[in-house]
Amino acid sequence: MTLAVVVATEPIDLGAAAGLAYDAERSLLGRLLDQLASLNVPEIHLIARRDMAPVLRTLSPESAQEPCLKVIESDDLAQDLREISRLARAATEPVLVLHGDIVASDELLNRFERGAKGPAAAVTGPFTTTRPPIRVRRHLIDSAGSRHHQVTNPDGVFRGVLRIAPPATGVLADAAEELAALVETSDALGRPDPVRTTSGEIAEHLEVFVDNDVDGDLAETTGGVPGTLATIAPKGDDVPALLLVGLVRSGVRVTARSAGGLACDRALTVEEAAAARTTVEAVDEEKIRLDAAVKSNDGFFTTYAVSTYSRYIARWAAKRRLTPNMVTSFSMWIAIVAAVWFAAGTRLGMVVGAVLFYFSFVFDCVDGQLARYTRQYSTLGAWLDATFDRAKEYVVYAGLAVGSTAAAAGSGVSGGDVWGLAVATLILQTLRHMVDFSFAAGKTRAVPEPRPTRALAEPGDGAQVAAQPVSEPATGFGPRSAGRGAGLGRLVVRLSHRTEKIPGLRWAKKIVVLPIGERFALISITAALFNAQVTFIALLVWGSLAAAYTLTGRVLRSLAI
């Protein structure tokens, strides 16, 4: 469950920007409240100026009225911040803070609310001239800006949607209270220093944002990118941006969640509201949602021989209300049937078993895609998926060994007694899986480094302009790395980052480790064309090479930490 705080204080000539019409039936605020209601947000607090509160109440849909919607009448920025501090301090569930004039795709809010992890997250996007700047490092917001706080080397913007989970809600409450006190103190929050950046072009643009008096013409849509709205700088106070600054400078790990191809931005004029609606309607949310169900870092075989069509099977399964666990179990049964065909010891059996084993892997991919597409995540599902992946592979080993013994002597299917090879392959794969899971568990248990803190009254973020070029990939290993192998380890990490940008080498790195897709393909192809002996020898040779490559890389990475 989530508590939502909607800030509808941006002034326009006719009242508040949140009251602008989205379509013939709804205002921007009305549409946003409908979206929150569809997410089953049980409690929504609307912060509005006293003169506009009655009007905004009438613009709210009936579905969002009391007791769900609670309107808070506020006089100024300091009171806005204190009201949010009060709500955050009492909250026992995540708090969602966003502008009332936000125009966002349904899918984006759905992802952000139901898929957000970590203590805090913010919707971000590419750099524009009119939104609060941010600097992102390793998916975390390293520095956040407002009209009173500057960002060195900015590389993106905050789109106005912020989510904070307990216990970070307590930090949010403290930061909001401190900001309120600073706002009320004369000259405590002034204009920031000139922009410090390695790019003069960005500096010129950022000066537009920090100008409180900017009221320019409607800009053109940035690059024609879907989901990017034409925007001007807001006139009023940007409460969510200040809260983001407060969280980042208080040391909270705020994850940067990119809007991607989905729409998410503020509409502050009649023209912008119309353009926002056009942008939202132009985005194919269903396609984006379906594409997002496919992992972006899968192996070569999975990417090109399975995921090109498996997503459509996942959508078909979703329409028939099949669960991911059902698909996982179906995949397991296909593998068992494949093992039975392999055990027949005939060429037909080997070919049919190979085809069935391939489709067992297809449905192994479908179950995860279905889980992401329908957002049906469970601990049981993750355990079943991992367990059945091992069981499918090992039952096929047994089927191949039985078939090799049962095959007619002298036939192309006969490989003799291969049980020793089968056991050796099983041991090798078991050791590889053990190393993989142990390494992953070790990384999970590692305590994150404390985030740096900084006073909220300081306009600058204290970063050095030349400390790290914007284009240089962050490795995550700072000066604390020491020891004999640390230098070599850091070199390996840097090389790994650089080769990720070279498509051919990137795929080669994925293939050499013999991931599950390549492994299932190797079994299917060698079994169909040759015999079990060739299959097991291929698995042992390639698996040993993959184990050596993986183990060496992980040892060097561990030394670098």
Side-chain angles (χ1 to χ4, degrees):
M1 307 296 279
T2 299
L3 181 151
V5 180
V6 180
V7 183
T9 58
E10 176 67 21
I12 60 173
D13 293 340
L14 301 177
L20 290 169
Y22 177 77
D23 53 31
E25 299 178 353
R26 296 178 297 176
S27 63
L28 300 182
L29 176 62
R31 176 178 181 272
L32 178 61
L33 294 177
D34 275 341
Q35 289 176 306
L36 293 175
S38 70
L39 293 175
N40 296 320
V41 176
E43 189 176 350
I44 304 172
H45 296 266
L46 176 66
I47 297 179
R49 295 291 173 255
R50 295 187 185 278
D51 57 338
M52 284 306 301
V55 177
L56 292 177
R57 280 193 181 95
T58 64
L59 295 174
S60 305
E62 293 182 2
S63 61
Q65 294 300 322
E66 296 285 358
C68 176
L69 179 66
K70 300 179 181 179
V71 179
I72 299 173
E73 298 183 3
S74 174
D75 294 319
D76 52 30
L77 174 59
Q79 188 174 350
D80 297 343
L81 292 166
R82 287 203 168 91
E83 291 292 348
I84 292 174
S85 175
R86 176 181 61 82
L87 294 170
R89 203 173 298 282
T92 57
E93 62 278 333
V95 176
L96 186 67
V97 181
L98 66 171
H99 289 283
D101 46 50
I102 281 284
V103 180
S105 300
D106 294 337
E107 175 65 12
L108 183 137
L109 290 180
N110 210 320
R111 284 188 197 176
F112 191 70
E113 166 54 22
R114 296 178 178 176
K117 298 178 181 178
V123 178
T124 62
F127 189 86
T128 66
T129 63
T130 57
R131 294 295 176 258
I134 59 170
R135 185 178 66 246
V136 179
R137 292 291 180 269
R138 287 171 286 167
H139 308 294
L140 296 178
I141 297 179
D142 194 50
S143 179
S146 72
R147 286 197 173 90
H148 310 286
H149 305 91
Q150 199 51 270
V151 175
T152 304
N153 286 334
D155 52 15
V157 295
F158 172 48
R159 289 284 181 87
V161 183
L162 184 62
R163 185 181 188 273
I164 311 95
T169 47
V171 180
L172 174 70
D174 293 339
E177 190 66 39
E178 183 179 350
L179 285 165
L182 290 172
V183 167
E184 291 179 327
T185 303
S186 178
D187 298 327
L189 287 178
R191 292 287 296 277
D193 296 331
V195 178
R196 299 188 305 160
T197 176
T198 57
S199 171
E201 182 181 359
I202 294 180
E204 293 173 3
H205 288 170
L206 201 56
E207 288 172 1
V208 176
F209 171 73
V210 299
D211 185 357
N212 289 319
D213 300 323
V214 166
D215 188 15
D217 296 331
L218 186 67
E220 296 180 359
T221 302
T222 306
V225 179
T228 302
L229 308 182
T231 56
I232 61 173
K235 297 178 181 178
D237 300 307
D238 196 334
V239 173
L242 282 172
L243 294 176
L244 177 60
V245 172
L247 289 170
V248 171
R249 293 198 173 194
S250 298
V252 175
R253 300 171 66 84
V254 184
T255 303
R257 297 289 299 273
S258 173
L262 297 166
C264 183
D265 212 332
R266 304 177 65 184
L268 307 179
T269 66
V270 173
E271 294 85 357
E272 285 185 10
R277 181 184 176 188
T278 301
T279 302
V280 168
E281 293 175 351
V283 175
D284 189 344
E285 295 190 35
E286 168 65 18
K287 181 179 185 302
I288 291 176
R289 180 182 172 191
L290 189 61
D291 290 344
V294 178
K295 288 182 180 179
S296 60
N297 62 340
D298 266 331
F300 182 85
F301 180 80
T302 306
T303 300
Y304 292 105
V306 177
S307 295
T308 51
Y309 67 90
S310 59
R311 68 190 73 184
Y312 303 109
I313 301 177
R315 182 171 63 184
W316 179 89
K319 290 180 178 179
R320 283 149 185 81
R321 299 183 181 278
L322 299 180
T323 66
N325 290 349
M326 291 179 184
V327 177
T328 302
S329 300
F330 182 59
S331 174
M332 183 68 220
W333 279 110
I334 295 178
I336 292 174
V337 175
V340 172
W341 277 96
F342 282 138
T346 64
R347 178 57 63 193
L348 176 62
M350 297 292 272
V351 172
V352 173
V355 172
L356 288 172
F357 195 47
Y358 165 74
F359 280 105
S360 172
F361 178 66
V362 170
F363 282 97
D364 180 60
C365 296
V366 169
D367 64 1
Q369 293 166 3
L370 178 62
R372 288 183 288 274
Y373 181 71
T374 59
R375 300 183 180 89
Q376 297 182 60
Y377 308 109
S378 69
T379 303
L380 174 62
W383 177 79
L384 279 179
D385 185 55
T387 302
F388 282 0
D389 279 350
R390 309 290 82 79
K392 282 181 286 189
E393 193 169 353
Y394 298 159
V395 76
V396 163
Y397 289 174
L400 286 168
V402 170
S404 181
T405 304
S411 67
V413 178
S414 176
D417 185 354
V418 295
W419 280 102
L421 291 174
V423 171
T425 305
L426 188 149
I427 292 173
L428 174 63
Q429 292 303 327
T430 300
L431 290 174
R432 289 188 62 209
H433 295 317
M434 182 180 69
V435 171
D436 288 342
F437 287 122
S438 299
F439 187 78
K443 290 199 301 183
T444 303
R445 289 195 300 268
V447 179
E449 288 186 49
R451 302 291 295 174
T453 60
R454 194 165 188 83
L456 295 179
E458 295 185 34
D461 60 5
Q464 298 297 318
V465 173
Q468 179 178 353
V470 177
S471 59
E472 181 72 17
T475 63
F477 307 119
R480 68 191 180 94
S481 298
R484 218 169 187 178
L488 179 59
R490 288 197 296 272
L491 176 61
V492 169
V493 172
R494 292 193 189 98
L495 288 174
S496 178
H497 279 287
R498 292 184 185 280
T499 53
E500 284 295 315
K501 298 180 180 180
I502 305 174
L505 286 178
R506 176 174 176 269
W507 285 123
K509 286 168 55 181
K510 286 181 174 292
I511 292 172
V512 73
V513 298
L514 192 60
I516 185 171
E518 275 70 10
R519 204 160 59 246
F520 278 39
L522 180 64
I523 293 171
S524 296
I525 293 171
T526 54
L529 298 180
F530 305 105
N531 56 40
Q533 184 181 48
V534 174
T535 298
F536 288 126
I537 290 175
L539 285 171
L540 283 169
V541 172
W542 194 346
S544 298
L545 174 64
Y549 174 84
T550 304
L551 190 60
T552 301
R554 287 177 175 170
V555 168
L556 290 173
R557 283 176 177 270
S558 300
L559 289 174
I561 298 177

